[in-house]
Amino acid sequence: GCYAGYFGGKVDDILSAITNLFLVIPPFVILILLSISLETRGIFLISMIIGITSWPWVARSVRSQVSSLRVREHVDIARISGFSSFEIIIREIFPYILSYIFMAFILQVSIGIVNEATLSMLGLGAFNTISLGEMMNWALNYEAVRSGIWWAFIPPVVMIALITFSLKYINTGMDEIFNPKLRS
């Protein structure tokens, strides 16, 4: 996103086309297909697959932020001063988008937790690990909902909801820190 937004032109067109390609394909379908095709699924591999399929929205928004920042005066001054493109991106542009990247990271972690729980609940999660989604899978397999055994499925659902809600609450708090207009 930074690279495409800063350089623009053909580089932006190529990287935007790749990003658009990944945006068209639903990431959860890719997660399911990759999980089915793998013979051994470890927690690291599942987390890598979730990370690989969740980058396009952040890349697109970072690209738009950087493309608006590259025409600012302080970037022009750095360019005239002889800084390289890498130095300009790191010193002049990255500090302005760091807060956005941090908040997007928190939201992506929340989405990743829900995706892992959904995969595990469907029986496509990591082997030989215990997760909240795996607990819901066990509740489904042993028909806990139909049997009225609420203690088998309600705690994992509540924990997933609490974790994702707390991450979104952290994101809101960080937005108030990074954005002075929201401070009361």
Side-chain angles (χ1 to χ4, degrees):
C2 275
Y3 197 76
Y6 181 75
F7 289 104
K10 295 262 187 214
V11 172
D12 185 23
D13 292 341
I14 292 169
L15 292 176
S16 292
I18 293 169
T19 304
N20 290 338
L21 180 68
F22 277 93
L23 284 173
V24 171
I25 303 168
F28 198 70
V29 172
I30 295 171
L31 284 174
I32 290 174
L33 292 174
L34 287 174
S35 295
I36 289 172
S37 66
L38 298 173
E39 291 182 19
T40 58
R41 294 186 302 256
I43 193 70
F44 180 74
L45 186 60
I46 293 295
S47 61
M48 289 299 294
I49 292 170
I50 290 171
I52 288 170
T53 58
S54 63
W55 64 268
W57 288 107
V58 177
R60 178 168 269 238
S61 56
V62 166
R63 179 204 155 275
S64 65
Q65 295 282 330
V66 171
S67 65
S68 69
L69 286 171
R70 75 177 174 173
V71 295
R72 297 226 176 138
E73 294 166 355
H74 63 91
V75 175
D76 289 337
I77 291 171
R79 196 175 294 124
I80 291 170
S81 298
F83 289 124
S84 68
S85 298
F86 182 75
E87 287 176 322
I88 293 173
I89 290 172
I90 295 298
R91 289 185 182 177
E92 302 297 329
I93 293 176
F94 195 68
Y96 286 95
I97 62 170
L98 186 61
S99 61
Y100 178 78
I101 291 172
F102 180 73
M103 291 186 295
F105 174 75
I106 291 173
L107 289 176
Q108 290 297 334
V109 168
S110 174
I111 292 168
I113 289 170
V114 172
N115 283 341
E116 190 282 327
T118 306
L119 279 177
S120 293
M121 187 179 75
L122 294 173
L124 301 172
F127 294 136
N128 300 326
T129 59
I130 297 175
S131 69
L132 296 170
E134 192 67 32
M135 294 169 121
M136 290 190 299
N137 183 14
W138 292 337
L140 283 173
N141 287 340
Y142 294 112
E143 298 179 354
V145 176
R146 197 173 68 130
S147 302
I149 306 172
W150 61 268
W151 55 89
F153 61 90
I154 294 293
V157 170
V158 168
M159 289 307 299
I160 290 171
L162 284 175
I163 291 168
T164 56
F165 176 73
S166 65
L167 287 170
K168 291 188 189 298
Y169 196 63
I170 289 170
N171 189 23
T172 304
M174 296 307 290
D175 193 24
E176 289 179 9
I177 290 172
F178 289 131
N179 191 351
K181 293 179 182 177
L182 296 178
R183 292 183 194 152
S184 52

